[in-house]
Amino acid sequence: MCCLYAFNGFVQTSVDALFPVWAAADVNEGGLGFTSSQIGLVSAVGGVSMILTQLFIYKRIAKRIKCVVRVESTLYTMGSETPQQSHKRRLLWTNRLCCLVLAPLFVAVPFISLLAPACSGCVWAAVLSYVWVYQLFRQCGMAVVITFIVNAVCDEDMAKANGIGQSAVALTRAVGPSLITPMLAWSFHNTGMPFDYHFPFFFVAAMQLLGALLTIHLPTTLNEPHKSKSGCSSCTTTTSNTSGDGAATDEVAVQLGVMHTGRDEAALLPAVDDVEANGKQL
């Protein structure tokens, strides 16, 4: 999970470093000829999109993706999954959907320069649309990956997992801009597609598709909070009541709860009642 987080950080930081440099390049070189104030305006629009996505949009997308999951389950698994099992995979499919939308979006971005000589209004419409869609699916995808990290561990290891993930993503965020900006400078000296100014965008698109492939073998348990508390030392200790005859009852009840975590609580009540009855007879 930390590797997936670091990989997403690499792609997103590369795109964040690539777009301003490309947009500032001359139109004859394949750029947009934007000034620093125009690039700042584009970044401001992206910031507004980021805030709105986190506050209002991400939760709705994660809920609605269950419809896609249920259709996929019906068509490809021939009904071997229940609706509940299919519904649990919605976070995985939210992440894959984000990757599959961002990849062709990155491929399309450099073609905006073809509009620059003819229609500046069309350029702005295309750029602002790109920034809005990019921030929307970027934030949704990253939110899902962070949720995966939290769901992969129990409460005791949550801080450790988050620390490892943040360290890994900090490293890849340092590598991304150092790699992508020289690649863009190199591409400006080439004339044949795909190795001209399109090449860095094709590169990040390929990396985004690879990110989608990395989620194929992830377990569906990551879609929900960590349930198996038996792996945590604080969760395996049995508690006992020191008030006389109730000690054996409380200890056995806790042990039954650990051994039968997948059963309903009502199914355990007869066993607990038997223990209490035996304790009273003794």
Side-chain angles (χ1 to χ4, degrees), residues 69-83 85-86 89 93:
V69 174
R70 286 178 178 174
V71 170
E72 185 272 342
S73 177
T74 303
L75 293 178
Y76 296 100
T77 63
M78 304 295 291
S80 60
E81 290 184 344
T82 64
Q85 291 173 324
S86 180
R89 297 193 300 166
W93 275 99

Side-chain angles (χ1 to χ4, degrees), residues 43-107:
S43 300
V45 173
V48 174
S49 175
M50 182 187 305
I51 295 173
L52 294 178
T53 299
Q54 293 178 346
L55 292 179
F56 305 109
I57 301 177
Y58 165 70
K59 186 176 181 180
R60 294 184 178 182
I61 290 180
K63 284 184 176 180
R64 290 185 177 276
I65 199 67
K66 66 184 179 182
C67 299
V68 178
V69 174
R70 286 178 178 174
V71 170
E72 185 272 342
S73 177
T74 303
L75 293 178
Y76 296 100
T77 63
M78 304 295 291
S80 60
E81 290 184 344
T82 64
Q84 291 78 11
Q85 291 173 324
S86 180
H87 174 73
K88 289 181 180 179
R89 297 193 300 166
R90 67 179 184 220
L91 282 180
L92 286 170
W93 275 99
T94 302
N95 182 266
R96 292 167 189 167
L97 174 65
C98 293
C99 293
L100 295 176
V101 170
L102 289 175
L105 181 67
F106 295 152
V107 172

Side-chain angles (χ1 to χ4, degrees), residues 16-238:
D16 292 340
L18 173 63
F19 182 82
V21 179
W22 168 75
D26 189 80
V27 175
N28 296 327
E29 295 180 345
L32 300 179
F34 276 12
T35 63
S36 58
S37 60
Q38 290 174 324
I39 295 175
L41 177 60
V42 173
S43 300
V45 173
V48 174
S49 175
M50 182 187 305
I51 295 173
L52 294 178
T53 299
Q54 293 178 346
L55 292 179
F56 305 109
I57 301 177
Y58 165 70
K59 186 176 181 180
R60 294 184 178 182
I61 290 180
K63 284 184 176 180
R64 290 185 177 276
I65 199 67
K66 66 184 179 182
C67 299
V68 178
V69 174
R70 286 178 178 174
V71 170
E72 185 272 342
S73 177
T74 303
L75 293 178
Y76 296 100
T77 63
M78 304 295 291
S80 60
E81 290 184 344
T82 64
Q84 291 78 11
Q85 291 173 324
S86 180
H87 174 73
K88 289 181 180 179
R89 297 193 300 166
R90 67 179 184 220
L91 282 180
L92 286 170
W93 275 99
T94 302
N95 182 266
R96 292 167 189 167
L97 174 65
C98 293
C99 293
L100 295 176
V101 170
L102 289 175
L105 181 67
F106 295 152
V107 172
V109 169
F111 292 97
I112 298 177
S113 62
L114 299 177
L115 303 174
C119 181
S120 60
C122 296
V123 171
W124 275 103
V127 168
L128 295 180
S129 299
Y130 154 73
V131 171
W132 190 269
V133 175
Y134 167 61
Q135 291 295 344
L136 169 64
F137 288 95
R138 167 190 177 176
Q139 295 303 316
C140 291
M142 186 60 77
V144 170
V145 174
I146 295 175
T147 305
F148 285 161
I149 295 177
V150 174
N151 291 348
V153 296
C154 59
D155 294 343
E156 279 190 346
D157 299 327
M158 194 175 297
K160 184 188 299 183
N162 183 67
I164 296 174
Q166 293 296 332
S167 300
V169 77
L171 178 62
T172 56
R173 282 173 175 167
V175 174
S178 303
L179 175 66
I180 202 69
T181 48
M183 186 184 299
L184 179 63
W186 169 80
S187 67
F188 281 145
H189 297 287
N190 300 324
T191 57
M193 191 175 176
F195 297 105
D196 55 0
Y197 62 92
H198 297 84
F199 182 75
F201 292 94
F202 292 168
F203 173 78
V204 293
M207 292 297 100
Q208 195 69 69
L209 289 177
L210 180 58
L213 293 177
L214 292 176
T215 65
I216 291 179
H217 299 292
L218 291 180
T220 57
T221 54
L222 295 175
N223 292 286
E224 295 181 334
H226 195 276
K227 290 183 177 180
S228 179
K229 297 299 184 181
S230 58
C232 304
S233 59
S234 61
C235 302
T236 55
T237 56
T238 58

